[in-house]
Amino acid sequence: MRKLGLGTLRRIVLLIFFALFVAITLRWISLERWRWTLTHAEEIETASPSPTAAPSAAATRPPTISGKFDVSRLFNGITLRSEVETTSGAAASEERVDPMSYAIDLKLRARVPTPNRTVDELGKVSPDLGKLLPGLAAMVKPESVSPLFAQLYETKVRELRENLSRLDLLLSRHNFYDCQTVLALRHPETKRRALLFQADMDVDADGSDGDRVPAGNGVSPTFKPFTSFRWGKKSNRPNPYLPGIEDRLRRVELEQRTATPERKRDLKNAATELRDEISAMKKYSYLIGTYDPFIVVPASFTKGSDAAHVGDYAVVIAGSTIYLAMVGDVGPNDRVGEASLRIAKEVNGLSNPNNRPISELKATYIVFNGTADSSWGSLDLEKLQARCEALVKEIGGASVPLHHWVNTVPPLPTPTPTPTPSPTPSISPTPSASPSPTPMFSETPSPTSPPLIHPTFAFPTPSPSATF
């Protein structure tokens, strides 16, 4: 074998030295960049908050986890098993700049549930269901499980993966296991189709309608004056939440004048969204969660052959009562089980927008597919009663009378009549008897007087004030 010359060996040594120098330099640059990113993220977290006049765009990257997070609260409902493992390392000055010297390996394990497939399995969480609706025995079969159940949990798992670096955004145990089953049913004789799902019951207090209730009643921190079920306004009475949204738009437009270019982009999007909301509120009316019995379905449930659509008639079974409802709103893809505040308070009088009536998976929702009316308007409770009773008969009938809803919308305030000025009396040379004073308020009600309006939280009766 031919021996290498001295010059060749020198070139090889120089090449190896140069390669090591480049590798060390790149490593140093990578570590410095990582340290700058970490420091920059902490500065962003400690910076003073920007005005909250308009919703800002979502962060483009997850923030660095720091000691400000309460881990026990972030993992609320998730079993957390922690362990500290140590190994021998290099000098502290070296390990301090190595990102892998001090790390957490995060792995979330979740068991995807199996849907209930038989009436007996449904009865384990809702014991009275088979007695209340005896016709379900002929409809519920193992092959009745809808693909919507698998799609629901695929969505939940996908969001867990996407949000794993944001522990504060992970689904809680309660919300991950919020659906017992989803069944696509069809009665063998009447061919009536229905979508049945078992879940808990959260509260929806959204919605507004200036035609019926011209004063706001939204009390939830997540309240929205809209529902998916809407119809054209019938009067010129404005939506009670319109002034608040118009004020938000004015503040956003004012901030745009002095905002940074990056902030202006966010404010521009917020202004566009607010203008769309204002336009919709001037044009449409919506269901009101406080007064209208309706349920909410996930957006994923509105697609496919088994889909439930806005406006479809439905019933809700809670305990031994069958409540009438309709599909009035569409919610997130990963959540199931929500009813209007009107239904929630009937199920449990202590319910409010922040207190669900049923926390366990003991509410059964049955949506009659394809039954929505061609034209929409404010909910007619008598029509809802008749329609739901007919549909329940088509799936075998009920062993108990269906719950009857009573209209609780307060009456509209009667406008105060404008007093007609009395004619000025002419001066008579002959003194006449002084007229007796006319009482300001008639002590005897006139048969044509307007009906008495009882005071409510929405329409307080004003105290009469004298005019001079």
Side-chain angles (χ1 to χ4, degrees):
M1 184 175 181
R2 185 179 180 181
K3 295 183 179 181
L4 296 175
L6 183 59
T8 303
L9 289 175
R10 288 177 178 175
R11 293 189 188 93
I12 293 175
V13 171
L14 288 174
L15 182 62
I16 294 174
F17 176 80
F18 179 75
L20 289 174
F21 176 79
V22 171
I24 293 173
T25 302
L26 292 177
R27 176 64 173 172
W28 178 80
I29 293 174
S30 176
L31 290 176
E32 286 299 316
R33 184 175 297 172
W34 175 81
R35 292 176 62 186
W36 181 89
T37 302
L38 190 63
T39 304
H40 185 64
E42 291 176 351
E43 290 176 354
I44 292 175
E45 290 181 359
T46 57
S48 58
S50 58
T52 57
S56 60
T60 56
R61 65 178 177 80
T64 304
I65 298 176
S66 70
K68 292 184 290 184
F69 287 91
D70 185 349
V71 177
S72 62
R73 295 185 62 184
L74 290 176
F75 284 94
N76 183 26
I78 302 177
T79 301
L80 177 62
R81 296 184 297 182
S82 59
E83 180 182 358
V84 177
E85 179 181 316
T86 60
T87 58
S88 298
S93 59
E94 298 179 20
E95 298 293 1
R96 192 177 198 178
V97 296
D98 186 351
M100 299 308 298
S101 64
Y102 200 70
I104 294 177
D105 294 327
L106 186 60
K107 184 177 183 180
L108 175 63
R109 297 180 178 88
R111 297 176 185 168
V112 177
T114 301
N116 286 350
R117 301 172 181 271
T118 65
V119 173
D120 292 339
E121 291 177 344
L122 297 179
K124 291 180 180 179
V125 294
S126 184
D128 297 329
L129 184 59
K131 299 177 183 178
L132 296 174
L133 298 173
L136 290 180
M139 302 173 66
V140 178
K141 300 176 182 179
E143 60 270 19
S144 300
V145 176
S146 171
L148 295 175
F149 183 85
Q151 294 173 16
L152 170 68
Y153 275 94
E154 287 173 1
T155 300
K156 291 177 181 285
V157 172
R158 182 175 65 252
E159 293 190 0
L160 286 180
R161 292 194 177 103
E162 293 174 353
N163 296 327
L164 193 56
S165 61
R166 287 292 306 272
L167 303 181
D168 54 326
L169 296 181
L170 287 181
L171 283 172
S172 65
R173 177 190 294 269
H174 177 91
N175 287 328
F176 186 78
Y177 297 107
D178 64 358
C179 185
Q180 188 79 359
T181 192
V182 183
L183 303 176
L185 307 179
R186 187 183 184 92
H187 195 275
E189 297 178 3
T190 64
K191 309 303 180 185
R192 167 56 60 193
R193 296 171 58 238
L195 184 70
L196 180 151
F197 53 95
Q198 286 184 316
D200 56 9
M201 184 182 290
D202 293 328
V203 180
D204 184 350
D206 293 345
S208 59
D209 180 5
D211 292 347
R212 293 184 292 160
V213 183
N217 59 357
V219 294
S220 169
T222 59
F223 172 82
K224 295 180 180 179
F226 311 98
T227 59
S228 300
F229 189 99
R230 67 182 189 180
W231 60 95
K233 285 183 62 62
K234 307 297 183 183
S235 76
N236 58 358
R237 286 186 288 270
N239 189 294
Y241 300 98
L242 188 58
I245 297 181
E246 289 176 332
D247 182 61
R248 287 172 56 194
L249 177 60
R250 284 192 292 270
R251 285 187 279 125
V252 168
E253 291 175 338
L254 182 63
E255 186 183 352
Q256 280 181 301
R257 300 176 184 176
T258 57
T260 62
E262 182 178 355
R263 177 65 175 164
K264 279 185 177 180
R265 288 194 294 269
D266 297 340
L267 293 173
K268 181 180 179 181
N269 294 333
T272 300
E273 182 178 347
L274 290 172
R275 291 190 188 98
D276 291 342
E277 291 181 359
I278 291 172
S279 176
M281 293 174 72
K282 289 181 177 180
K283 186 177 180 181
Y284 297 106
S285 291
Y286 305 89
L287 296 174
I288 306 176
T290 306
Y291 304 111
D292 296 324
F294 64 86
I295 65 172
V296 183
V297 298
S300 57
F301 280 22
T302 62
K303 303 174 184 178
S305 58
D306 304 331
H309 298 290
V310 175
D312 283 347
Y313 291 90
V315 293
V316 181
I317 298 91
S320 58
T321 306
I322 303 176
Y323 299 96
L324 315 179
M326 68 177 303
V327 178
D329 211 351
V330 175
N333 285 323
D334 60 345
R335 310 288 175 88
V336 181
E338 190 173 3
S340 66
L341 182 58
R342 178 71 192 277
I343 296 178
K345 291 191 74 68
E346 196 69 28
V347 174
N348 185 340
L350 299 178
S351 300
N352 58 53
N354 302 311
N355 184 30
R356 65 176 66 91
I358 303 177
S359 291
E360 299 178 343
L361 307 180
K362 293 190 174 183
T364 301
Y365 305 81
I366 301 178
V367 179
F368 300 101
N369 316 67
T371 58
D373 297 326
S374 57
S375 60
W376 294 353
S378 59
L379 193 55
D380 185 336
L381 296 179
E382 295 304 321
K383 180 180 179 180
L384 176 69
Q385 186 85 27
R387 194 77 176 95
C388 285
E389 287 181 351
L391 292 169
V392 169
K393 288 180 180 179
E394 292 184 13
I395 62 171
S399 60
V400 297
L402 307 186
H403 180 79
H404 181 74
W405 294 109
V406 177
N407 184 20
T408 58
V409 176
L412 291 171
T414 303
T416 304
T418 303
T420 304
S422 57
T424 304
S426 60
I427 301 176
S428 173
T430 305
S432 59
S434 59
S436 59
T438 302
M440 188 171 296
F441 300 99
S442 175
E443 299 177 1
T444 305
S446 168
T448 59
S449 299
L452 176 65
I453 303 298
H454 295 284
T456 66
F457 75 96
F459 306 110
T461 302
S463 302
S465 57
T467 57
F468 300 94

